[in-house]
Amino acid sequence: MKQPHVWNSTDYRIVAAIMGLMGAFFWAIRGTGGYGGEMGGMLAGFGWAVLWYGFSQVGEGADRRPYGHPWLFMAITLGIAYGGFTGYGVYIAWVQGKFQSNPNEMLHEVSAWTGYAMLFICGLHWGGNTGCFMAWCAPSKPIHARDWTLRLASGFIGAVAAALFVRAFPQLFLPFYSEGIYANPGYKTCIRALDSLHTIAPHVGVFLGFLSFEVLRGDRRAVYMILTMALGFAIPFAVGGYWHTLNGSELKLGWWKNWEMSIGLGGGLAFGIAFWLFNQPAQTARLRLSPKSLAFFRSGLPFGVPVLVVVLGAIDGRCGLHDIEVPSNYIWGFLALGTAGMAALWFWRARHEDSSPITHEYRVSTNALAIYIAVIVVAGWVVTIPKEWKLANVVLVGLYIVYLGVSAVLLRVFQKRIT
């Protein structure tokens, strides 16, 4: 009998490369029509979650990987989706040195570093909160009900404190605040910047509160996981902002898309690094799921809901691209069909489940994981193929082909190594 493959540094590098390349595709689609905000975040998060979980299930010691259980599906998917509730478009002009009163209406020149700093903060909370949720899935120290109460309270206190701080000292974040321009209803871009700050601050506060709890608790692995994810998104968010300085160039490419792909590439590499550093097999097997957790994952909700979001976003994005109005009854019908399908799956699994008490583990099949990725990839192409081809579209599609093609080649290399 052949022994399971023992991972080495090359395997982890391949995984990091795949997560980075696929992440560039995920994040570019996240910002495409049909996938704005939290819906787009759920698409990207679900894609990374599928890859993370899938890689966790292969090779020697798969049952000993601390972050190899299905709760990572929820942590990564919801973590990235949560960041989508904030907006950051107003800071793009700041990176270009432009401070506008209204779109395309110059009010002042501003130092570009203010824009880069705000983008860094956006990435910090986006990756940081995802890292917090991931860290919760495998605490290196036992955690009890009282600890959970303190953990959640820390996040709440952090959110409130951050919200109050930016309201007390807005001049630290908003250029030219002393001029009173943020109170002028005619300056819509200024008001948008103020609202954006008020939205981002609680997210940053939640991240800092959760991080502070883990520091005080002394869970070093959790702290390092959170910081790896936070900086892994913050740095590409900020550095990638340079693409926006090329918006006025004669070469008409999708510079915004280049920025998004840089974020996805950097964020994906952060996932890969975190996988390498914190998800290597431990000496003992990870804890099995409780009966309630087992029933939750067997219900299909953690996987069915993201798939529904991806499909509905593809329908909405494609119709928007071709100026087609989608009847509301069509959407509701699709939701009803999806709900019925998940209910049928739950009943089928309940009837065919082994009743042995030692089977308190839930494993998503390789075929299901492949289908999830296929749905995301197809949806990405559906909302990408334009009515008219321009240079920017050709370049973008070419980059997508490279990301997906190289990922497929690396995945094949990885499969040959582990079999």
Side-chain angles (χ1 to χ4, degrees), residues 60-319:
E60 191 277 333
D63 64 335
R64 292 184 281 114
R65 293 189 185 276
Y67 294 98
H69 54 75
W71 276 114
L72 265 294
F73 268 107
M74 299 288 293
I76 298 175
T77 302
L78 296 183
I80 298 297
Y82 176 57
F85 284 97
T86 60
Y88 46 76
V90 69
Y91 307 122
I92 304 309
W94 297 8
V95 171
Q96 302 169 16
K98 303 174 183 177
F99 186 86
Q100 299 173 337
S101 56
N102 288 296
N104 301 319
E105 291 182 11
M106 186 71 171
L107 184 61
H108 290 294
E109 289 187 0
V110 67
S111 176
W113 75 265
T114 58
Y116 287 113
M118 291 304 296
L119 292 181
F120 183 89
I121 292 174
C122 289
L124 193 71
H125 81 73
W126 211 317
N129 282 314
T130 301
C132 290
F133 298 161
M134 293 170 69
W136 294 358
C137 295
S140 59
K141 291 185 174 183
I143 186 164
H144 307 287
R146 181 178 65 88
D147 299 315
W148 269 107
T149 301
L150 293 174
R151 171 183 276 167
L152 297 177
S154 298
F156 177 77
I157 293 171
V160 173
L164 294 176
F165 184 82
V166 298
R167 284 167 171 77
F169 303 100
Q171 66 275 13
L172 299 178
F173 306 92
L174 299 173
F176 314 111
Y177 187 83
S178 61
E179 297 182 10
I181 55 179
Y182 294 91
N184 187 334
Y187 289 170
K188 299 187 182 302
T189 299
C190 297
I191 294 176
R192 183 183 170 200
L194 180 63
D195 291 341
S196 181
L197 177 64
H198 290 168
T199 303
I200 290 171
H203 283 71
V204 176
V206 167
F207 155 62
L208 293 177
F210 288 151
L211 176 61
S212 298
F213 172 82
E214 302 299 346
V215 170
L216 294 175
R217 187 167 173 266
D219 192 335
R220 296 177 63 182
R221 185 174 70 187
V223 171
Y224 293 150
M225 167 69 86
I226 294 168
L227 291 177
T228 298
M229 293 303 301
L231 295 176
F233 273 79
I235 292 172
F237 241 94
V239 175
Y242 176 77
W243 289 112
H244 296 297
T245 65
L246 304 177
N247 283 342
S249 66
E250 295 182 1
L251 189 59
K252 303 302 180 182
L253 296 180
W255 302 115
W256 186 293
K257 279 296 178 190
N258 284 14
W259 175 56
E260 291 179 326
M261 289 186 287
S262 298
I263 296 170
L265 178 62
L269 290 175
F271 275 109
I273 293 171
F275 189 97
W276 190 348
L277 294 178
F278 312 116
N279 201 30
Q280 295 194 28
Q283 294 183 351
T284 58
R286 62 178 174 270
L287 295 177
R288 300 298 186 182
L289 296 176
S290 68
K292 290 183 179 179
S293 297
L294 201 59
F296 173 65
F297 285 105
R298 286 174 183 158
S299 72
L301 285 173
F303 322 108
V305 171
V307 169
L308 283 175
V309 168
V310 171
V311 173
L312 290 174
I315 295 172
D316 182 60
R318 189 62 182 174
C319 290

Side-chain angles (χ1 to χ4, degrees), residues 318-325 387:
R318 189 62 182 174
C319 290
L321 197 60
H322 289 269
D323 301 320
I324 301 172
E325 183 176 354
K387 290 190 297 184

